Amino acid sequence: MTAHLAPDAKEATVGELAVRSGVAPSALRFYEREGLIKSRRTSGNQRRYSRDTLRRVAFIRTSQRLGIPLATIREVLGLLPEDRTPTREDWARISECWRADLDDRIRTLQRLRDDLTDCIGCGCLSLAKCALTNPWDELGERGPGPRRLLEDNPSGTAGRTDTAEAGAPGPGEAGTAAGPREAGG
């Protein structure tokens, strides 16, 4: 595509927005169907996006890369004003909505990184160490899944998201919103 968004443009076509944002036109249409962005239609029924949609798309993509479900992204974007371009204060206010969740995810990922070679309390009993740290799958009495990872996470999600809400992956990406896998050991 060769369409570029002029610096003084108030609106963008789907092609211009796609080129400038790095998001495929199909993903932009998906975001619109999901209520994450909106457009107006010309008399020829072509989409026109306001310039501030570029920032919304960047916010959506970044949020997806962090594993935030589309339903949550939609909810937070709904807090932005519709009658004007959002200000820095507006963006700062909505970014606070999931600061605690992101802090939780960071702690979980750090634990996963640091403890992946040890038992994470999944109950598989496949490692020799499991017999020492989790004999007879005692951690299974606390609930399903990787208990040692989940117990330090008050929400109990271990940074996972509903993959049905992961959204359309960007160009060249194979969906990045999935959380850690729960393999044996």
Side-chain angles (χ1 to χ4, degrees), residues 106-128:
I106 289 168
R107 279 190 298 275
T108 299
L109 288 170
Q110 287 172 332
R111 288 196 68 214
L112 180 62
R113 177 200 63 207
D114 296 344
D115 298 336
L116 194 55
T117 57
D118 288 334
C119 178
I120 58 173
C122 68
C124 72
L125 302 176
S126 64
L127 294 176

Side-chain angles (χ1 to χ4, degrees), residues 65-160:
R65 288 192 59 140
L66 295 172
I68 297 172
L70 285 181
T72 304
I73 297 169
R74 181 184 316 105
E75 183 180 312
V76 171
L77 284 174
L79 300 173
L80 289 175
E82 292 189 29
D83 58 338
R84 63 175 170 79
T85 300
T87 64
R88 177 182 297 271
E89 291 78 22
D90 293 325
W91 287 107
R93 180 174 43 83
I94 69 165
S95 70
E96 286 297 318
C97 290
W98 52 60
R99 182 174 295 278
D101 181 50
L102 290 175
D103 289 342
D104 251 7
R105 290 169 188 259
I106 289 168
R107 279 190 298 275
T108 299
L109 288 170
Q110 287 172 332
R111 288 196 68 214
L112 180 62
R113 177 200 63 207
D114 296 344
D115 298 336
L116 194 55
T117 57
D118 288 334
C119 178
I120 58 173
C122 68
C124 72
L125 302 176
S126 64
L127 294 176
K129 187 169 182 175
C130 284
L132 299 174
T133 61
N134 187 23
W136 304 284
D137 190 23
E138 292 167 351
L139 291 172
E141 294 175 16
R142 297 184 194 171
R147 298 315 314 158
R148 288 200 171 101
L149 285 176
L150 294 172
E151 287 173 359
D152 281 349
N153 185 346
S155 65
T157 61
R160 294 185 309 264

Side-chain angles (χ1 to χ4, degrees), residues 10-15 17 25 27-54 56-57 60 82:
K10 301 275 190 236
E11 292 185 320
T13 66
V14 70
L17 186 60
L28 294 173
R29 290 187 290 274
F30 172 78
Y31 292 159
E32 191 171 348
R33 274 192 316 273
E34 292 295 313
L36 299 165
I37 62 175
K38 62 184 178 178
S39 68
R40 73 169 185 86
R41 296 297 182 123
T42 67
S43 59
N45 202 31
Q46 294 177 334
R47 288 177 167 88
R48 293 294 184 267
Y49 297 95
S50 63
R51 186 173 186 86
D52 62 275
T53 304
L54 182 60
R56 290 175 191 255
V57 170
I60 294 164
E82 292 189 29

